[in-house]
Amino acid sequence: MENASGALEGVTRKLENIQAITDEMFAHMDVDEFLDTLLERVREVLDVDTAVVLLLDRAGRDLMATAAKGIEEEVSQAAHVPVGRGFAGRVAAERRPIRIADVPSADIFNPLLVQRGLRSLLGVPLVGGGRLVGVMHVGTLTPRRFTAEEEEFLQLAAAQAAMAVRSLLSRAERAGALELQRSLIPSELPEIPGLDMAARYRPGKSIVGGDWYDVFTLPSGETGIVMGDVAGHGLPAAVVMGRLRSALRAYALESAGPAEALHRLNRKMLHFEPDVTATVLYAVCGPEGRVRVSSAGHPPPVFAAPGSPAHAVDVDFDVLIGLDEAIPRRTTTIELPPGALLCFYTDGLIERRDDSIRAGIAKLCEAVYAGPPEDVGAAVMSALIGREPAKDDVALLLMRRRLS
């Protein structure tokens, strides 16, 4: 009994050591640093020759070697294991610990484990928040029968690791999405003769998505204005947003008008990325104040003339990008007299859980007026965002035709 009690106390102390890493040190590490530190500690505690973490890919089909101690070539050679295949694949598919007493005679998918000369393996799933994150396994160069206590320790360590990895990956993804968005949003608006412009962009507090705006000059001398929102959130949405932005810029150079550019963009997305949807509004503004607008399911711009209340423009509302190629796209023409202002935005500005989009647009119209774009932008953000940070991304672009 004394030996059993002592062993249990030893395992408890070792687990506390692991928890110290996950609870404190990981806050100052990225995923790779954290896993390297964790695996080194696990290897010391269990007195094993190798320790490996494989993380599940986005598609949920393969386990990718992410960190390794004692068999570093797993990572350098980008080893991967399909879920359900071999040792690690079985651990992931069955979500339970699996022991391999004799590696050479077992069904091992990854040849590196055999080449390394491993004889025994113990693997456990990494599960965080009820979701499979990956697999952690340890191995020895001599035959070994892992005990129930060792298995329990590895499971507890894996559970701590799974929660930390999910947190670290979420943090890294958000940072990556923010950096990508910032790199694609214009750092400054171009100088357009006869136009004054201002823009605001605010990433969501809880959701970083694929909102963007763009302004560019065309070979015709006209100005292209884009406001878009990719369905989804996080880094995947930001990456798709970047591809949409680049593609629309290219089609804008070759198209006769906004509707044709959006038609080409839609055809491209349907062919190469059929699972993607997005709302996009593309406007082309001529030097004489004639604005042609085509909307792929995007909220309408708001128009304000001097001395008159603002109102939402009655723009033809066509299908979203990524939904249908056969339905024709239409263009609406807006006359922008001197002093008049157009307001473009994404739904993060007007959409609230406890109210309708129609009510949000009405509130936006109350805030918009035919004044200097910077002043109008400040008034809009004050009225619709206020002191509470928006949960979703907010993009706002204001364009006013000069009086002279």
Side-chain angles (χ1 to χ4, degrees):
M1 288 293 292
E2 290 182 4
N3 288 340
S5 176
L8 181 59
E9 289 179 5
V11 169
T12 301
R13 285 196 301 272
K14 292 169 183 176
L15 180 59
E16 288 173 351
N17 204 354
I18 295 295
Q19 288 174 325
I21 299 173
T22 60
D23 292 342
E24 298 175 18
M25 293 177 63
F26 89 90
H28 310 290
M29 300 178 179
D30 61 21
V31 173
D32 292 335
E33 290 173 322
F34 167 73
L35 289 177
D36 280 345
T37 303
L38 177 65
L39 289 182
E40 189 59 52
R41 196 66 54 86
V42 166
R43 191 164 69 152
E44 292 172 1
V45 167
L46 292 179
D47 190 23
V48 291
D49 297 298
T50 64
V52 179
V53 166
L54 302 97
L55 297 182
L56 193 65
D57 67 2
R58 288 189 179 279
R61 299 192 187 100
D62 291 318
L63 296 163
M64 314 299 294
T66 306
K69 290 295 179 181
I71 186 169
E72 285 76 6
E73 58 268 34
E74 278 228 37
V75 177
S76 61
Q77 295 182 26
H80 68 279
V81 178
V83 172
R85 296 280 306 276
F87 168 60
R90 278 185 56 209
V91 174
E94 299 176 21
R95 294 198 182 191
R96 65 178 181 87
I98 293 178
R99 307 180 201 181
I100 300 291
D102 186 44
V103 170
S105 63
D107 176 24
I108 302 294
F109 179 84
N110 183 0
L112 290 175
L113 300 180
V114 178
Q115 294 169 10
R116 179 68 175 83
L118 292 175
R119 295 298 304 273
S120 299
L121 290 168
L122 169 62
V124 297
L126 269 65
V127 178
R131 297 180 58 185
L132 181 70
V133 177
V135 167
M136 178 186 294
H137 66 71
V138 296
T140 59
L141 296 172
T142 56
R144 176 166 165 180
R145 292 193 178 277
F146 289 98
T147 66
E149 289 78 13
E150 290 170 331
E151 181 180 298
E152 181 181 7
F153 168 78
L154 195 61
Q155 283 184 285
L156 291 170
Q160 293 290 319
M163 289 188 291
V165 166
R166 285 195 67 189
S167 175
L168 289 167
L169 289 176
S170 176
R171 185 196 306 168
E173 182 171 294
R174 178 178 173 83
L178 284 170
E179 187 63 29
L180 180 57
Q181 283 181 319
R182 291 190 180 110
S183 71
L184 295 173
I185 298 298
S187 57
E188 60 181 7
L189 296 172
E191 293 285 340
I192 308 294
L195 294 177
D196 291 319
M197 305 182 77
R200 300 288 181 95
Y201 179 78
R202 181 67 182 172
K205 179 181 179 182
S206 57
I207 302 173
V208 178
D211 291 23
W212 90 98
Y213 69 88
D214 201 5
V215 182
F216 46 82
T217 56
L218 295 165
S220 62
E222 297 173 303
T223 302
I225 299 166
V226 180
M227 189 66 67
D229 184 0
V230 177
H233 61 274
L235 188 57
V239 170
V240 171
M241 176 266 280
R243 290 198 286 265
L244 279 167
R245 174 185 180 273
S246 297
L248 184 51
R249 279 190 163 201
Y251 294 136
L253 294 176
E254 303 172 353
S255 301
E260 182 183 343
L262 291 184
H263 171 76
R264 292 185 176 190
L265 178 66
N266 189 46
R267 184 173 58 183
K268 181 259 187 190
M269 298 306 292
L270 283 170
H271 182 77
F272 289 106
E273 299 181 78
D275 296 329
V276 169
T277 58
T279 68
V280 181
L281 185 145
Y282 176 41
V284 175
C285 180
E288 74 292 343
R290 181 168 169 263
V291 184
R292 294 174 291 152
V293 180
S294 185
S295 173
H298 199 83
V302 169
F303 174 89
S308 300
H311 66 274
V313 180
D314 186 15
V315 174
D316 291 319
F317 198 74
D318 297 328
V319 297
L320 278 63
I321 298 297
L323 289 187
D324 199 316
E325 188 177 358
I327 300 176
R329 297 190 176 275
R330 298 162 292 179
T331 296
T332 302
T333 300
I334 306 168
E335 296 297 333
L336 193 67
L341 176 141
L342 274 175
C343 170
F344 305 92
Y345 53 94
T346 56
D347 61 6
L349 183 67
I350 59 168
E351 194 171 29
R352 300 294 180 269
R353 280 187 177 181
D354 56 352
D355 216 338
S356 67
I357 291 180
R358 187 184 297 273
I361 293 176
K363 190 174 182 180
L364 174 61
C365 290
E366 292 174 3
V368 171
Y369 61 97
E374 284 290 351
D375 295 347
V376 177
V380 167
M381 296 299 285
S382 176
L384 278 84
I385 302 300
R387 301 180 65 181
E388 195 67 30
K391 293 184 178 180
D392 199 358
D393 292 349
V394 172
L396 173 68
L397 178 66
L398 300 134
M399 175 183 74
R400 185 177 71 155
R401 187 178 176 193
R402 291 175 188 159
L403 289 169
S404 58

